[in-house]
Amino acid sequence: MFLQHKNIVLGVTGGIAAYKSADLVRRLKDQGANIRVVMTTSAQAFITPLTLQAVSGNPVSDSLLDPQAEAAMGHIELAKWADLIVIAPATANTIAKLTAGMADDLLSTICLATSAPIAIAPAMNQQMWHAQATQDNMQVLSKRGVAVWGPGAGEQACGDIGLGRMLEPMQIMEHCLHYFNSINAADTLQGQQWLITAGPTREAIDPVRYISNHSSGKMGYAIAQAAQKAGADVTIISGPVNVATPKNCQRIDVQSALEMHQHALKLAKDVDVFIACAAVADYRVAAISEQKIKKSNDSMSLELIKNPDIVADVAALTAKPFTVGFAAETQDVEHYAKGKLQRKNLDMIAANNVATAGQGFNSDDNALTVFWLNGSKVLPLTNKTELAKQLVATINDRMQDDT
Ligand code: PMT
């Protein structure tokens, strides 16, 4: 009963996935949540208010202009009552209304009138999801702090295949658990020191050239921000990125893997948690040319030598912090991630498939599967801010379990 005493307004809008709302309500109630369902008019073409009233145990609200309903629990009261508003399914139309700040029905009005966080589980045809207008709207909503859960990929009701399926009720329920866990974690990291590597490294070839990769630093910085907000003292050891330093975090700028290694090993023995999110170059140039290399032959070779493995060296410390690695894979994600977890002696590894479009390197979104000895957890596709909160809550849970 992890959602006991939590008040959730479930907004149901008009998509075929609305038929899954009854199951979602049941799963949230199984965890002890109080549910009030708000339906749009078009949602009622897919599932009846009576069904949702029966499973939620509360009257369903569907009109802004119903004096009887307003007298019972008016839209402002509902907006204040909510600890969280979840819109599932969230259609392209509802997403556009939220973005524009419209208040032409009960659900959009409640969303404007609430100070509670809002989460949406988009559900629409894959072409509608990829439409520039929808993607622009999603960016605006993400920037405003609206949590985006999904969508998932697969076969759609219309026969298309692609992104746009609403997440399964179980996954949405797990997002709710993560959300409330991360709120509860707000002060639980108080007094802890977290050290996080982020961004790429640059391995010099000569004074003007280097070897690097596509890491933007967004994932590592989002983790730093989430840990700081949860009360930790956070230091980021950062490769060259164009991301603003999160409020109240320390930042050490480095260029190469050797520099990152030196700072990490110096600081790691005094921290509680070390997270290696940086995309560290595995190799560096054996002999960096002091002068710019001149073009001459048709081909040239560079001798590369192996860089030290930062996260493995931290995990080998006698006073080892709780050590979390990342695995950026393009195939056999679970197999390679578990191999790294074991080989590098990590407490946990967060694996991402960096071959999937729209996630991983330099994207605003990501999806992770987190592995530890005898356990794992899927953190589905969402924006990196939200994902980082879930990862921090997962790390915190694991640390509690280990003590
Ligand atoms: O920065 P973004 O654009 O937001 O992208 C995020 C990300 C894709 C970079 C991030 O989610 C991610 O996957 N980071 C790890 C990238 C990586 O180098 O993975 P890897 O599988 O090659 O390395 C495994 C682990 O060893 C990582 O924790 C890495 O930091 C660490 N490592 C690797 C080499 C080395 N010499 N020292 C290390 O510590």
Side-chain angles (χ1 to χ4, degrees), residues 197 199 214-220 257 276-282 307-312 324-329 340 344 349-350 352 354 360-363 366 368 384:
T197 67
H214 295 291
S215 172
S216 62
K218 288 176 191 170
M219 189 73 245
C277 187
V280 184
D282 289 322
N307 273 323
D309 192 312
I310 302 169
V311 74
V324 182
F326 265 71
E329 308 297 344
K340 286 175 185 173
K344 300 186 187 215
I349 194 155
N352 38 193
V354 290
F361 282 98
N362 202 14
S363 147
N366 205 5
L368 295 170
K384 285 181 178 170

